[in-house]
Amino acid sequence: MTIRYMMLAGVALVSTAAVAQVAPPRVAKKPFQVTSPNGAREDDYYWLRDDTRKNPEMLAYLAAENAYVDAQLASLKPLEAKLYEDTVAHIKQDDSSVPYAQNGYYYGSRFQTGADYSILERRKGSRTAPAETLFDQPAMAKGHSFFALSDWAVSPDNRRVAWAEDTVGRRQYVLKVKDLTTGALLADTVSNIEPNVVWADDNKTILYVEKDPVTLRGYRVKAHVLGTPVTSDRLLYEEKDDTYSMEVSRTADDKFVCIGVGSTVSDEQRCAPAASPTRFTIVAPRAREFRYGADHIGNRWIIRTNRAAKNYKLVTVADADLANGTAAWRDLTPASDTVFIEGFKPFDGFVAIDQREGGNRMIRVLSDAGKSTPVTADEPAYRMALDVNEETSTPWVRYTYGSLVTPTTTYEVNAQTGERRVLKVAPVPGYDPAKYVTERVWAPARDGTRVPVSLVYAKGTKRDGAAPLFQYAYGSYGISSDPAVDPGRIGLLDRGVVYAIAHIRGGQEMGRGWYDDGHLLNKKNSFTDFIDVTRYLVAQKYAAKTRVAAMGGSAGGLLMGGVANMAPADYKLIIAQVPFVDVVTTMLDASIPLTTFEYDEWGNPAQKASYDYMLSYSPYDNVTAKAYPALYVGTGLWDSQVQYYEPTKWVAKLRERKTDTNPLLFRVNMEAGHGGKSGRFERYRQNAEWQAFMLQQLGLAR
């Protein structure tokens, strides 16, 4: 087979017919100084950043990397196809959701066989009434390489629907409106908004969050009146502090429209009557390390807050006492060192509480009389979560339950009688839960902390220190990684892979302190926790030391970059998807989306202590001449969360400096953003590529 090269500005372009022995792409070095108040750093690959995404030299390099992946993985195409087919075989293609009631209608969605997108519909009065299509997403997505219909809302009179749509993948949504009585699309459109729309009671005013066109930070709440020019949209609120994000919402009882602004360490909420959302009243003024979120039911507010409760508690205040401030707040739940309140939903007569304890997420019901009733579970590692509950006058609370073995099951429990009934078990064709085992183990970290780990493997998998291990974690922003059955994982388990979720510090599985111990100047705990979990599982003979694969994405990709630098010999393969790896340079640039939001997550490198600490772990800055494991890195050209040039630069520097001959593959999706291509099957199609590569590296390519 011949190999053809084309040289363009120092980039070796490889034809898709290239064989696996072709040399990896190399890219030109162009010295550039990144300056800061705390010193300058040389960055030979800074030039790969092009905010227009049109630089031909940069695009040629990305094309060369894609061609190299194609060549390297050509022999794995049959396995990739088999993995994809196995995954699709576990998906009920014509599946539908459990309808939920709201304002006289039952809303739900359904997939047609082979469709990437669902049809959203509603039925008037009952679940058996004729269906009315709200969104035919398969038709709407035609002609677009990317399509996402995000937040949508039906007007209070049920006659119109507004939604936020993205056809690029950059998360710059467009507001659109349809008349449901005629099916006609209205002329009203608003560009560059957050995926967040709310109607006022007049059925013609829509509140939305406008984004800054450069930083993509949502910073203004505006009101658009149907039939009027966008230029005349009324400004309701502008957030001047660029470390805050914002959203708009309606309260559970639909009496108020609220604007919520929040940062890592502070919240502020202001609300106005939904009948006239013009003058907004602040629920409680912002203060550092003071977080809260308020909802309304009847004649009182219920508030989740960390005031005198690190793991949050619920308080209440009557409408008449709201102006009296936090002194008028009365506790509904006590502060706890072991129970972390994740969220809540108010109903008439009770509150449903979403909480965490012992690393698991669970539900309990608290009556207005003070009786607390937990919903029980039988598995050692699981996840419960409140589901869609739009009606507040019902005693039935809908929630979901699942684990690494049990498919997601939708339940509802009666808050008055305790009766529980199953509404739906998510169908997983060809899957038998009895063939798999789930465990919760606790791995000791190097500082003595016990880290919870959720495990799943096929029955019969021997615990003899020979099995391959696939370990995942995220560990940032206080986002917890909960167990669930994944159709794309079943084929791996059937091939003998042990799958582990490391619930490392930086998430909130064990409460707010778990997060505090894994961010800012404690961030390295996330990396060492992950490594220590790996070493524990190997020592306990769940896996072979030479057969460990690790994976993380976005901030979890930062984790992968840190682990690759700190403990490369512990991993056969590391998969880093859309990885945040150029920490210091990105956080020095306030024009990049997310930067200003995240000073309280990573630190502000304008401050020396933060600069030095971030520099000590930033994956890009710590690439050295040493052996690295095999690496699969993915990115999207249109990513707005982690810009494409971060992983691009990281890969270029790794190619320059690593001393091993292990494969380094860099897949660039030229038509997508942070989440990859859209569509339910596309995700699994993309995953099949790195899964095939992983199985090859773990000795399971069959």
Side-chain angles (χ1 to χ4, degrees):
M1 190 177 292
T2 59
I3 304 172
R4 292 183 293 125
Y5 293 93
M6 179 188 303
M7 296 306 296
L8 175 61
V11 178
L13 295 187
V14 186
S15 78
T16 55
V19 296
Q21 287 77 24
V22 68
R26 296 284 183 174
V27 68
K29 295 169 64 173
K30 302 181 182 182
F32 178 88
Q33 277 212 334
V34 179
T35 59
S36 81
N38 295 300
R41 291 151 40 247
E42 287 290 331
D43 187 348
D44 291 334
Y45 300 108
Y46 187 90
W47 72 269
L48 287 165
R49 172 178 176 174
D50 173 28
D51 292 344
T52 69
R53 291 160 172 78
K54 294 179 180 178
N55 182 333
E57 189 176 357
M58 176 273 292
L59 292 173
Y61 174 54
L62 299 186
E65 289 286 2
N66 277 335
Y68 181 68
V69 176
D70 292 340
Q72 292 294 308
L73 299 186
S75 64
L76 293 178
K77 282 299 178 183
L79 176 58
E80 180 183 330
K82 182 67 168 61
L83 287 166
Y84 175 71
E85 290 167 6
D86 289 349
T87 298
V88 172
H90 291 305
I91 298 172
K92 188 177 188 297
Q93 296 207 22
D94 58 349
D95 196 15
S96 59
S97 68
V98 181
Y100 65 87
Q102 183 178 17
N103 197 21
Y105 283 82
Y106 285 86
Y107 290 86
S109 62
R110 60 181 175 86
F111 280 99
Q112 295 174 320
T113 299
D116 266 319
Y117 305 93
S118 65
I119 294 172
L120 278 64
E121 56 192 18
R122 66 178 183 176
R123 299 171 189 267
K124 187 174 183 179
S126 76
R127 291 182 175 89
T128 59
E132 172 190 356
T133 298
L134 295 177
F135 302 105
D136 184 348
Q137 292 190 93
M140 296 168 70
K142 283 183 178 177
H144 299 294
S145 58
F146 180 93
F147 175 79
L149 187 156
S150 190
D151 193 35
W152 56 273
V154 175
S155 59
D157 64 3
N158 291 314
R159 294 183 58 194
R160 298 183 180 95
V161 63
W163 72 95
E165 179 180 303
D166 177 13
T167 56
V168 176
R170 186 90 175 134
R171 301 193 180 187
Q172 291 178 282
Y173 291 84
V174 177
L175 170 66
K176 296 185 177 183
V177 186
K178 182 169 69 172
D179 188 322
L180 294 174
T181 62
T182 65
L185 187 67
L186 303 189
D188 302 77
T189 60
V190 184
S191 299
N192 196 34
I193 70 165
E194 294 280 7
N196 184 205
V197 294
V198 169
W199 289 90
D201 281 352
D202 64 1
N203 299 296
K204 63 180 181 179
T205 302
I206 302 171
L207 279 65
Y208 64 91
V209 179
E210 180 183 43
K211 285 189 169 189
D212 182 285
V214 176
T215 66
L216 305 189
R217 179 179 76 93
Y219 73 119
R220 289 175 178 162
V221 176
K222 289 186 171 182
H224 175 72
V225 178
L226 296 180
T228 65
V230 174
T231 53
S232 65
D233 287 359
R234 187 171 71 255
L235 177 65
L236 300 178
Y237 177 74
E238 180 173 355
E239 177 54 54
K240 301 293 187 181
D241 189 331
D242 61 8
T243 67
Y244 283 75
S245 58
M246 63 169 52
E247 65 176 1
V248 289
S249 62
R250 289 179 72 114
T251 55
D253 60 5
D254 274 333
K255 289 184 179 178
F256 295 91
V257 170
C258 297
I259 300 171
V261 298
S263 69
T264 302
V265 296
S266 177
D267 293 308
E268 187 174 71
Q269 190 170 328
R270 59 200 73 223
C271 301
S276 179
T278 53
R279 299 184 62 183
F280 287 78
T281 299
I282 294 178
V283 174
R286 70 185 70 180
R288 189 167 179 82
E289 302 299 340
F290 172 46
R291 300 207 65 189
Y292 73 92
D295 206 343
H296 192 269
I297 191 82
N299 60 0
R300 65 172 180 159
W301 293 88
I302 297 176
I303 303 166
R304 171 183 176 265
T305 180
N306 70 344
R307 181 174 177 264
K310 188 170 187 175
N311 281 334
Y312 292 84
K313 62 182 177 180
L314 297 185
V315 301
T316 186
V317 60
D319 289 348
D321 295 329
L322 184 65
N324 295 330
T326 57
W329 292 6
R330 299 291 176 260
D331 287 357
L332 286 178
T333 64
S336 172
D337 292 331
T338 59
V339 176
F340 175 79
I341 295 181
E342 185 105 347
F344 71 97
K345 179 71 178 184
F347 291 78
D348 296 339
F350 66 95
V351 181
I353 302 174
D354 199 334
Q355 64 184 42
R356 292 185 181 274
E357 186 173 10
N360 288 322
R361 187 172 175 179
M362 58 194 70
I363 303 294
R364 69 179 166 119
V365 174
L366 179 66
S367 73
D368 286 358
K371 181 181 178 182
S372 179
T373 307
V375 178
T376 59
D378 298 323
E379 294 177 290
Y382 61 88
R383 171 191 184 272
M384 294 183 193
L386 291 172
D387 199 29
V388 181
N389 290 280
E390 294 294 343
E391 300 287 323
T392 60
S393 59
T394 176
W396 293 97
V397 180
R398 185 178 294 188
Y399 70 96
T400 59
Y401 175 91
S403 74
L404 286 171
V405 167
T406 303
T408 299
T409 304
T410 304
Y411 289 94
E412 59 182 7
V413 61
N414 191 298
Q416 298 170 356
T417 67
E419 178 187 354
R420 187 176 66 167
R421 55 195 186 197
V422 176
L423 300 180
K424 179 183 178 179
V425 178
V428 186
Y431 171 75
D432 181 1
K435 294 181 178 180
Y436 307 90
V437 177
T438 185
E439 290 186 45
R440 165 62 55 77
V441 300
W442 297 82
R446 61 195 65 186
D447 64 0
T449 301
R450 296 171 71 238
V451 180
V453 185
S454 297
L455 288 169
V456 64
Y457 49 87
K459 283 184 179 178
T461 300
K462 294 180 180 179
R463 189 171 160 185
D464 59 1
L469 173 67
F470 178 29
Q471 182 175 316
Y472 170 83
Y474 185 73
S476 290
Y477 304 107
I479 296 173
S480 300
S481 300
D482 292 312
V485 171
D486 181 353
R489 192 187 305 130
I490 297 170
L492 304 180
L493 301 179
D494 290 343
R495 288 171 169 83
V497 175
V498 176
Y499 178 72
I501 302 175
H503 303 286
I504 59 177
R505 283 174 283 186
Q508 285 184 144
E509 287 92 338
M510 299 295 290
R512 187 68 177 182
W514 202 248
Y515 168 61
D516 290 339
D517 287 346
H519 79 134
L520 291 176
L521 299 180
N522 295 319
K523 186 61 209 170
K524 288 182 187 177
N525 284 337
S526 299
F527 308 149
T528 55
D529 280 359
F530 189 91
I531 296 164
D532 293 343
V533 166
T534 301
R535 293 173 178 173
Y536 173 80
L537 294 176
V538 168
Q540 295 299 309
K541 298 189 180 301
Y542 283 100
K545 178 177 174 57
T546 58
R547 302 182 75 190
V548 180
M551 180 178 177
S554 195
L558 164 65
L559 170 69
M560 293 299 100
V563 166
N565 285 328
M566 295 172 68
D570 285 82
Y571 301 92
K572 178 66 175 177
L573 166 68
I574 290 179
I575 302 156
Q577 296 284 28
V578 292
F580 172 47
V581 285
D582 192 13
V583 181
V584 179
T585 301
T586 290
M587 293 303 296
L588 282 167
D589 188 345
S591 72
I592 296 175
L594 299 186
T595 291
T596 56
F597 293 157
E598 301 191 348
Y599 290 144
D600 289 312
E601 178 68 29
W602 315 111
N604 186 341
Q607 301 166 356
K608 182 166 177 53
S610 292
Y611 179 91
D612 290 344
Y613 187 76
M614 295 160 73
L615 192 61
S616 73
Y617 70 75
S618 173
Y620 180 65
D621 292 288
N622 287 280
V623 173
T624 59
K626 62 184 174 185
Y628 284 86
L631 286 157
Y632 180 103
V633 183
T635 192
L637 181 63
W638 297 99
D639 195 338
S640 62
Q641 310 301 103
V642 178
Q643 308 292 314
Y644 78 90
Y645 43 80
E646 288 200 39
T648 302
K649 291 165 52 180
W650 184 48
V651 167
K653 183 180 276 192
L654 281 166
R655 291 213 185 282
E656 172 201 346
R657 298 192 179 182
K658 75 188 190 81
T659 60
D660 59 88
T661 58
N662 295 322
L664 167 55
L665 305 182
F666 184 35
R667 173 63 78 192
V668 185
N669 194 317
M670 305 299 287
E671 298 178 331
H674 199 59
K677 287 185 177 180
S678 57
R680 61 170 174 162
F681 294 119
E682 279 300 323
R683 175 168 67 93
Y684 293 118
R685 198 182 302 277
Q686 294 169 75
N687 289 354
E689 180 175 89
W690 61 256
Q691 287 179 346
F693 180 54
M694 178 178 73
L695 292 178
Q696 179 200 57
Q697 294 299 307
L698 297 179
L700 294 170
R702 61 180 189 273

